[in-house]
Amino acid sequence: MTGIANPGEIIYNRYMLKRIIAFLIVMVMTLSLFGCGSGGQKISFDVVVNYFNRVSAMDFSSAHECFWQYGSTPPLDDYTASYEYAVKTLGITSISFSEPEYTKLSDTQYDVSAELTYTSSLAGEVTLPFEAFVVLDDDGIYIAYNDNIILPDYQNGDIISYITLTSRRGEIFTSDHVPIATNSYGDTVYLDVPATADASDSISRLASLLELDGDEAVSIKKSFEEAESKNYGRVVVKAYARNSIDEELESRILEINGASIDRSSLTPQRYYPYPGVYSHITGYVGSQTEEDVKKSEELGRSVTAQIGKSGIELSKNDVLMGTDGYEVRLYSSDGQFKSTIFSKSAQNGSDVVLTVDSSAQNLAFYLLAENASSEQTAVAIVMDTNSGAVEAMANYPSYDTNAFNYPISQEDLEAMPLFPNSTQGLYPPGSLLKPFTAMPALEDGLADMDTLFPYENEIVDNQWTPSTEAWPWEPITRDEKPKGEMNMTNAIKSSDNIYFGWLALQMGADRFCSFMESIGIGGQMPFDLPVAKSNLINDTTTMDRKLLTDMSFGQGEILLSPIQLASMYSAFSNGGNMIQPRIIDGVFTDSDGAYTATTQSEPGSFKTEITSQEIIDKLLPALREVVATGTAAAIKSDGLTLAAKTGTALKGSDKTKESSWVIAWYDGMDKNKLVLVLVDGPRTEGTYKLSVAKALLKAGAVDTPVITDAPASSDTTPSPSSKI
């Protein structure tokens, strides 16, 4: 029938129409998902992935294609210039993004969030939030630009400023909390720009007074002119170490129009309040070498900060040195501050507290300074034999560590007595070794304390030539005959070389050397400061009986540092255990107002059970006799029970120099104190070692108050001593 539709066809056509409409809807939606760099691939949100990849590759021109052409999207040149400026200014070396997350806001808009990480040579690794909208329009999917997409609140033309937040170097304190290495400021001569009426005249007069050369004067004049044009308040003329400008010079400086002196802000420096007294303990700081700079860069530390060059400043540099922080600030094109984009707080260095007692150290140093001649070096050590705490370690002569805040000529440097004799000096111990020669002989039963020397009738003019075997060498010599019988007790008391030479021949070289090695001779003792490796016998030397006898009384090729000898003698107070000396009590950090120890040292042993308590008990009476009636009788003091040993080792081919020693300690007292004094120099001029030791032993017996508060501020440090 014409004009009448078949019902089946109508149903079919409606079905096909619905299919076609559904297909078209899918096509439209699929086309709407095409975006920048999708390459025609039908992948949702490829625009974000492509943007991340292109920015990570620092292909900013290509990344710009991913932005929606409407809204606040900057022109291509502005966008690339802004990103390249940020990369250059911050030293950005790589850019990365985390996996993005999407939140649907509407059918045409999604929120995308991720983490944007910049790796910067200035700031290290910095992670910022990446937040943006993804827009779906008829052309595809795009990222809507915003001012936070490169850096927070960052617009084209803005100025990025990187500011270093300087960390504070930790300070060094004595056990009684006296600051001995602090952060302070130097004496700085400057011109007050607004107050200077005639700059040329003032600069000329200062140049003459302060001995500035022509180039320095010209440079100051240029700095002054620049300061005037930029409205700066002050121009530095010359900086000195703290307290270097005396009253007379200060008065003459202040007479010059516009000239003044700053002591609190212009020239930061490391300050040592007691020049000379602690110099060989604290050491000093100096500028970084190329190698130091490389290490600082690896650790994220300041490459311009001073670092430790010797002493505790060097050995504990890693904990004393802080880590600088930074702020990255954003300014508008007209210089107005907008915001701090990101920052990292400075981490100040930790303080180091020593075991050194300020009273003991000052006394030890000044006793040496008052007695030592210009031809001598001297060392005084006070140590607690129970804990190993070094309470004083004085070296003389000494030097002013403050001098290293400024350039030093090679001539002046070479004239400075920088060498730390107490730890790095190696000396023949002389008769100090004799009790240790006795130990293996007593252990092996070769002799006892009352064993007599069997060849006394062969001694002529205090010289003995061994007769049991051929002896092609010079005789063994002693200073004088012991009073009483020639047994071990009297040989120790009178320091008889002949007796101990004979004793060494009885035990033989192998036994003698193996025992000396067992107590650390020939090795290096650990300590908080570098200690020189001791010497028993040179590698190229062939042992013979003459050398063995010389070694038995501390000569030959035996060399020891004073601090190692102090450890050896601590065995007499510790049942045969040699205490491990320590000069650092702990490392302390001020965190949120609480001053707490991050590390703290504990007593320990350098060598254990070098001999038995039985052998110690045999030797101690003889060492007490050294004080009672022997070579150390001059140190006797009322109220003190002491044991001691003296020693003298002649040096040089003409024997005109000597190392003169005394070691003494409290014996059977409540306190545990040992004093060592060494005087090295011309022969027979070191007898004052006994008066120095006596004064230190008497002072050590006096109780001093224990201070438990945090160390005093370095702002209250006392005036420096005038004697070095």
Side-chain angles (χ1 to χ4, degrees):
M1 295 174 54
T2 306
I4 299 175
N6 187 315
E9 289 181 354
I10 293 172
I11 293 171
Y12 176 78
N13 289 337
R14 287 177 178 174
Y15 170 75
M16 290 301 296
L17 181 61
K18 289 180 179 179
R19 291 285 302 273
I20 291 168
I21 291 171
F23 174 77
L24 291 173
I25 290 172
V26 171
M27 286 295 293
V28 169
M29 291 181 67
T30 301
L31 288 171
S32 71
L33 296 179
F34 290 146
C36 89
S38 63
Q41 300 299 315
K42 301 173 183 179
I43 303 173
S44 297
F45 302 116
D46 269 5
V47 63
V48 175
V49 175
N50 288 334
Y51 177 79
F52 284 3
N53 289 339
R54 293 173 186 185
V55 170
S56 296
M58 298 194 192
D59 182 2
F60 304 125
S61 295
S62 178
H64 186 269
E65 297 173 5
C66 299
F67 292 129
W68 196 34
Q69 61 181 320
Y70 306 106
S72 59
T73 300
L76 171 62
D77 290 346
D78 288 354
Y79 170 75
T80 55
S82 294
Y83 225 136
E84 287 169 356
Y85 168 69
V87 167
K88 181 179 179 180
T89 304
L90 297 176
I92 294 172
T93 56
S94 69
I95 306 172
S96 62
F97 295 84
S98 67
E99 192 70 25
E101 295 182 359
Y102 303 95
T103 302
K104 183 176 180 179
L105 303 177
S106 69
D107 289 343
T108 60
Q109 194 174 69
Y110 284 76
D111 176 78
V112 58
S113 61
E115 288 186 341
L116 165 60
T117 299
Y118 292 120
T119 301
S120 162
S121 60
L122 291 176
E125 195 171 273
V126 177
T127 299
L128 300 170
F130 177 89
E131 298 282 348
F133 293 131
V134 175
V135 178
L136 287 69
D137 70 6
D138 293 341
D139 297 326
I141 301 178
Y142 296 94
I143 297 172
Y145 186 88
N146 65 72
D147 288 342
N148 299 313
I149 213 156
I150 299 176
L151 292 168
D153 199 27
Y154 178 50
Q155 297 175 328
N156 183 52
D158 282 352
I159 300 167
I160 299 171
S161 177
Y162 179 91
I163 298 172
T164 299
L165 304 178
T166 305
S167 60
R168 179 189 69 85
R169 185 174 179 85
E171 299 182 323
I172 303 174
F173 297 86
T174 63
S175 62
D176 49 333
H177 302 163
V178 174
I180 57 176
T182 70
N183 301 308
S184 187
Y185 293 89
D187 295 355
T188 306
V189 180
Y190 70 92
L191 282 171
D192 185 327
V193 176
T196 305
D198 186 342
S200 295
D201 178 67
S202 294
I203 292 171
S204 176
R205 292 176 64 189
L206 285 170
S208 175
L209 178 61
L210 305 179
E211 299 180 349
L212 305 178
D213 61 33
D215 291 340
E216 289 175 309
V218 169
S219 177
I220 294 167
K221 184 70 166 65
K222 289 181 179 178
S223 296
F224 190 93
E225 292 170 353
E226 182 180 3
E228 279 188 312
S229 66
K230 295 183 178 180
N231 294 318
Y232 293 163
R234 295 182 290 189
V235 171
V236 171
V237 175
K238 189 171 183 178
Y240 296 85
R242 177 172 164 169
N243 295 333
S244 295
I245 298 177
D246 59 26
E247 291 183 5
E248 180 183 354
L249 180 57
E250 179 171 356
S251 175
R252 295 178 66 186
I253 290 170
L254 297 180
E255 289 174 357
I256 298 172
N257 174 249
S260 191
I261 299 170
D262 172 84
R263 293 187 172 95
S264 62
S265 63
L266 288 180
T267 309
Q269 69 170 46
R270 194 67 161 173
Y271 178 56
Y272 303 92
Y274 304 93
V277 179
Y278 298 91
S279 299
H280 294 96
I281 297 175
T282 62
Y284 56 90
V285 296
S287 300
Q288 298 189 41
T289 63
E290 289 185 12
E291 186 176 340
D292 295 328
V293 168
K294 184 177 180 181
K295 180 180 178 182
S296 293
E297 288 175 340
E298 291 172 353
L299 296 173
R301 292 175 173 166
S302 170
V303 298
T304 58
Q306 290 186 312
I307 64 169
K309 294 293 184 178
S310 70
I312 297 296
E313 294 277 29
L314 173 60
S315 70
K316 285 297 178 182
N317 184 68
D318 286 347
V319 297
L320 287 164
M321 194 173 182
T323 302
D324 287 351
Y326 60 82
E327 283 187 357
V328 176
R329 297 177 182 175
L330 196 62
Y331 295 85
S332 61
S333 57
D334 61 357
Q336 298 299 310
F337 173 76
K338 293 177 66 175
S339 63
T340 297
I341 303 172
F342 45 83
S343 64
K344 179 182 178 182
S345 299
Q347 299 296 316
N348 291 330
S350 298
D351 295 336
V352 174
V353 177
L354 306 180
T355 60
V356 174
D357 175 81
S358 64
S359 297
Q361 180 70 19
N362 276 292
L363 179 60
F365 179 79
Y366 286 115
L367 286 169
L368 297 182
E370 289 169 1
N371 288 280
S373 73
S374 60
E375 297 180 82
Q376 292 176 325
T377 59
V379 170
I381 294 174
V382 179
M383 186 177 76
D384 185 314
T385 55
N386 186 47
S387 68
V390 175
E391 298 177 4
M393 191 168 71
N395 289 258
Y396 190 85
S398 191
Y399 63 99
D400 185 356
T401 38
N402 291 301
F404 289 90
N405 282 298
Y406 300 94
I408 299 175
S409 69
Q410 188 62 33
E411 181 181 359
D412 288 342
L413 185 64
E414 291 174 357
M416 284 184 166
L418 303 177
F419 192 72
N421 296 294
S422 54
T423 53
Q424 289 287 301
L426 289 173
Y427 305 90
S431 295
L432 293 189
L433 198 73
K434 288 173 181 173
F436 299 92
T437 299
M439 287 178 183
L442 292 168
E443 290 173 0
D444 297 348
L446 295 174
D448 213 328
M449 298 306 296
D450 57 0
T451 298
L452 296 173
F453 176 69
Y455 304 104
E456 193 166 1
N457 62 330
E458 297 179 3
I459 299 174
V460 178
D461 294 331
N462 289 315
Q463 295 183 332
W464 175 58
T465 301
S467 59
T468 54
E469 296 182 58
W471 187 267
W473 305 283
E474 293 181 356
I476 302 171
T477 303
R478 68 185 180 191
D479 287 338
E480 60 183 3
K481 179 181 178 180
K483 295 178 181 179
E485 294 181 321
M486 193 173 172
N487 57 24
M488 191 183 297
T489 296
N490 287 329
I492 289 175
K493 182 178 73 171
S494 301
S495 210
D496 191 298
N497 290 348
I498 292 175
Y499 189 95
F500 284 93
W502 166 74
L503 205 59
L505 290 173
Q506 305 314 300
M507 74 177 78
D510 289 345
R511 175 66 169 126
F512 175 85
C513 290
S514 65
F515 179 80
M516 295 303 160
E517 288 171 348
S518 74
I519 64 174
I521 300 179
Q524 191 163 23
M525 186 184 76
F527 188 50
D528 297 316
L529 293 169
V531 175
K533 181 182 178 183
S534 59
N535 192 67
L536 180 61
I537 185 171
N538 297 341
D539 293 338
T540 57
T541 297
T542 300
M543 175 65 79
D544 58 41
R545 288 179 296 137
K546 176 65 167 74
L547 178 58
L548 175 60
T549 59
D550 287 346
M551 294 168 71
S552 72
F553 43 82
Q555 298 213 163
E557 296 174 352
I558 295 179
L559 297 172
L560 288 161
S561 64
I563 192 65
Q564 187 166 344
L565 267 166
S567 175
M568 287 169 58
Y569 267 83
S570 70
F572 289 101
S573 302
N574 291 301
N577 295 321
M578 289 168 52
I579 200 72
Q580 172 61 61
R582 56 193 180 94
I583 201 168
I584 293 176
D585 179 54
V587 175
F588 291 77
T589 301
D590 189 354
S591 178
D592 297 326
Y595 197 71
T596 56
T598 54
T599 60
Q600 200 141 20
S601 64
E602 297 291 340
S605 295
F606 171 42
K607 297 291 180 180
T608 58
E609 299 179 350
I610 67 167
T611 193
S612 66
Q613 184 64 53
E614 180 185 0
I615 301 301
I616 295 292
D617 290 340
K618 287 183 177 182
L619 288 167
L620 273 174
L623 295 167
R624 294 180 190 124
E625 277 298 310
V626 172
V627 178
T629 60
T631 55
I635 70 171
K636 281 191 293 187
S637 299
D638 292 341
L640 299 183
T641 305
L642 304 173
K645 187 70 187 80
T646 61
T648 301
L650 300 181
K651 300 166 65 175
S653 57
D654 56 0
K655 308 296 184 184
T656 58
K657 295 185 180 297
E658 66 181 15
S659 296
S660 186
W661 303 85
V662 61
I663 291 184
W665 61 97
Y666 298 160
D667 179 45
M669 295 177 61
D670 291 338
K671 291 190 174 184
N672 300 280
K673 202 85 66 180
L674 175 148
V675 169
L676 175 150
V677 180
L678 163 68
V679 179
D680 192 70
R683 190 171 178 178
T684 72
E685 293 184 12
T687 54
Y688 64 83
K689 66 187 179 185
L690 297 172
S691 62
V692 171
K694 181 177 181 178
L696 291 171
L697 288 162
K698 289 179 67 175
V702 178
D703 288 325
T704 54
V706 177
I707 301 174
T708 57
D709 297 334
S713 166
S714 58
D715 293 336
T716 60
T717 52
S719 300
S721 160
S722 60
K723 189 165 186 179
I724 299 178

